[in-house]
Amino acid sequence: MTKREINELDETRTVYIKKQDKGFTLIRNGAPFKIKGATGNSHLDALAAIGANTLRVYDYENIKSILDEAQQHNLAVIVDIPLAKYTDDANFYSDEIQIARFRDTLKKLVRTYKDHPALLFWNLGNELDYPLVLRKNEFIKTFNGFIDLIHKEDPNHPVGTSIIPSKTETLSIHLHSPQLDLIGFNAFGNLNMIKPLLNKITS
């Protein structure tokens, strides 16, 4: 959860995160929602058949057809919005023309699909190597601007991002992007390693 005032959250929102005694709960359509699913953009019928309730797609190509099919199978969809990976010499985050063009694309995307019943939340960027710095740099300022744009256009769904498990990146995100609603950790391989990874980040 972020520094956004939890008590001020509008509980009429389609999807939101609620603080409770034992942590935080994702609420969807007025009821607790526990994500059980997979990534990809195919075999949605098989995914639903084994009891899943969520699909994560890594980009928004053909997103309308994916959202529509997901709705048919009662699946919620996490929609990734790809961003250029941050590096010290990256030029996207210092190019005002490219940023303006992407803002237009982002605004159109969110406006078009913000009311789709299958949408769960927006995932802004994947494994961006969020920098650990004291002052906000061009990447952070641009990233925060995109978060604010999505929140403005779609106040009914959270905005998250996904990183490789990292304590320093997590701390930097909390410091510089507190308006982000959630952080996802990409952990691959043995499922038994997930809990130790989370413990490492939170300890």
Side-chain angles (χ1 to χ4, degrees):
M1 194 62 174
T2 69
K3 295 178 182 178
R4 298 177 69 196
E5 290 297 324
I6 296 168
N7 292 332
E8 295 180 2
L9 285 176
D10 181 359
E11 295 193 5
T12 65
R13 294 171 65 189
T14 307
V15 182
Y16 63 95
I17 299 166
K18 184 175 183 178
K19 184 177 182 180
Q20 297 182 322
D21 293 339
K22 295 183 179 180
F24 298 90
T25 300
L26 184 66
I27 305 294
R28 182 179 186 236
N29 297 326
F33 187 85
K34 186 174 183 178
I35 295 174
K36 298 181 293 182
T39 61
N41 56 15
S42 62
H43 305 295
L44 274 62
D45 53 346
L47 186 64
I50 61 173
N53 61 12
T54 306
L55 174 74
R56 177 185 172 190
V57 293
Y58 284 122
D59 57 49
Y60 48 85
E61 185 177 353
N62 300 320
I63 192 60
K64 183 182 186 307
S65 62
I66 294 172
L67 287 168
D68 289 346
E69 185 179 355
Q71 180 63 16
Q72 293 174 9
H73 295 291
N74 200 30
L75 296 171
V77 181
I78 300 168
V79 179
D80 269 33
I81 301 172
L83 290 178
K85 200 172 186 71
Y86 170 74
T87 59
D88 290 337
D89 60 351
N91 59 16
F92 172 80
Y93 297 100
S94 59
D95 189 325
E96 294 182 2
I97 294 177
Q98 287 193 74
I99 291 171
R101 288 173 179 168
F102 186 79
R103 284 180 62 87
D104 289 342
T105 298
L106 183 57
K107 184 182 294 186
K108 182 179 180 180
L109 172 71
V110 175
R111 283 184 176 179
T112 301
Y113 299 107
K114 64 185 179 68
D115 295 321
H116 198 290
L119 177 64
L120 185 61
F121 65 82
W122 306 98
N123 195 65
L124 182 63
N126 184 46
E127 300 181 7
L128 293 174
D129 294 332
Y130 196 103
L132 180 63
V133 292
L134 293 177
R135 295 183 180 181
K136 293 179 175 63
N137 58 18
E138 291 174 330
F139 164 80
I140 294 173
K141 292 176 182 178
T142 303
F143 184 71
N144 287 348
F146 292 156
I147 298 171
D148 293 341
L149 184 154
I150 299 172
H151 276 145
K152 180 179 179 180
E153 295 297 330
D154 180 10
N156 284 315
H157 295 90
V159 181
T161 194
S162 299
I163 63 173
I164 295 174
S166 165
K167 189 170 185 176
T168 55
E169 284 191 50
T170 302
L171 290 173
S172 191
I173 290 171
H174 277 284
L175 174 64
H176 292 301
S177 299
Q179 67 270 54
L180 202 67
D181 295 290
L182 53 92
I183 303 171
F185 299 107
N186 292 347
F188 304 95
N190 192 333
L191 292 177
N192 293 327
M193 294 300 297
I194 293 177
K195 188 173 182 179
L197 281 172
L198 292 178
N199 289 338
K200 183 178 179 180
I201 293 169
T202 57
S203 61

